[in-house]
Amino acid sequence: MAHVLIKDLVKTYPEKKGPGVTAVKGINLEIQDREFMVLVGPSGCGKSTTLRMIAGLEDISGGSVTIDGKVVNNVMPKDRDIAMVFQNYALYPHMSVYDNMGFGLKLRKFPRKEIDVRVREAAEMLGLENLLDRRPKALSGGQRQRVAVGRAIVRKPKVFLFDEPLSNLDAKMRVSTRAEISKLHSRLGATMIYVTHDQVEAMTMGDRICVMRDGNIMQVATPLNLYNHP
Ligand code: ADP
Ligand code: ADP
């Protein structure tokens, strides 16, 4: 089970002088277990800030984030049972693909054998079996993104968060990686929250789509119902 509840969530970035910028203005959103929820909207509307507050990477100015019935406002990111995939992949350049994928488990003191099983399983899912000894700089953009996804998978988190994961890929690679993430969603049966500014990505990937604008949620609907409102 992985249910995420966002209640009256607010984020105001303080500025050195002046009133600050309210990036998220009291939003409410419920993400069901195993749902693929896409947050979509123009650049600057507060998608990434919302995702980072769910991850615990950004302090909350007001409201709450609840994961499986537990308010996590004061829970450290590493204790939230979530894994996040970033736009820029955030791989460690000096580590092999294998070590990049296993590093989070190593930090959490998983036994080497368990790390090995999980890394190889994720590599198989993502077609990375033959690249495990390479460094990130010897990979294509698409391969790097796969390693970033693999690093999330090995953790077996309840919730996956994606922040514009395809925006550094070329058009062709975007389409194939999109399909792959959708496939992983079915295979893993995980709850996923996915941020994009790309409406086509949102429409093809989301079970439901949450449309944001200027720090507010305008609409939450399935792709079929999204633009059918009066
Ligand atoms: P999106 O992900 O939809 O592009 P963001 O959540 O990144 O939007 O940004 C929402 C608003 O908050 C924007 O006005 C942006 O400039 C501002 N913002 C984002 N991060 C910071 C920060 N670290 N400090 C100050 N303002 C920020
Ligand atoms: P190694 O195989 O690297 O010697 P150990 O078997 O000694 O690792 O385990 C290292 C630590 O990881 C121990 O404290 C152990 O309790 C913990 N651990 C073992 N299995 C798991 C697991 N599945 N999840 C989380 N921690 C685990």
Side-chain angles (χ1 to χ4, degrees), residues 11-162:
K11 176 66 185 186
T12 302
Y13 288 107
E15 282 176 325
K16 292 280 185 297
K17 289 169 193 151
V21 177
T22 301
V24 176
K25 300 175 178 169
I27 62 171
N28 290 282
L29 182 64
E30 188 170 3
I31 298 127
Q32 303 298 337
D33 183 42
R34 295 170 179 241
E35 187 168 34
F36 198 113
M37 174 67 82
V38 178
L39 308 185
V40 70
S43 175
C45 72
K47 308 179 295 291
S48 180
T49 298
T50 300
L51 203 67
R52 292 169 60 81
M53 286 193 282
I54 297 170
L57 299 173
E58 201 76 73
D59 286 339
I60 290 173
S61 309
S64 62
V65 174
T66 304
I67 301 178
D68 283 343
K70 187 182 172 213
V71 176
V72 296
N73 290 19
N74 297 316
V75 175
M76 296 287 288
K78 69 175 174 56
D79 297 323
R80 287 194 184 197
D81 211 353
I82 52 112
M84 186 148 163
V85 176
F86 298 90
Q87 177 175 353
N88 61 3
Y89 322 135
L91 301 178
Y92 304 106
H94 59 287
M95 284 186 202
S96 67
V97 166
Y98 184 99
D99 288 339
N100 262 287
M101 283 169 61
F103 190 64
L105 299 179
K106 202 172 163 190
L107 278 183
R108 288 169 178 79
K109 308 243 183 289
F110 276 59
R112 214 173 309 131
K113 233 190 202 157
E114 174 71 15
I115 295 175
D116 194 64
V117 169
R118 291 192 186 198
V119 167
R120 288 181 194 285
E121 186 183 54
E124 177 267 317
M125 269 188 226
L126 296 163
L128 294 169
E129 303 99 314
N130 299 321
L131 303 174
L132 289 173
D133 294 329
R134 291 216 193 156
R135 298 281 170 97
K137 68 174 186 306
L139 300 175
S140 71
Q143 290 166 339
R144 282 177 206 181
Q145 188 49 275
R146 265 170 227 192
V147 177
V149 172
R151 193 166 54 180
I153 289 176
V154 299
R155 298 256 323 279
K156 302 192 177 181
K158 283 185 185 158
V159 184
F160 287 81
L161 306 178
F162 295 90

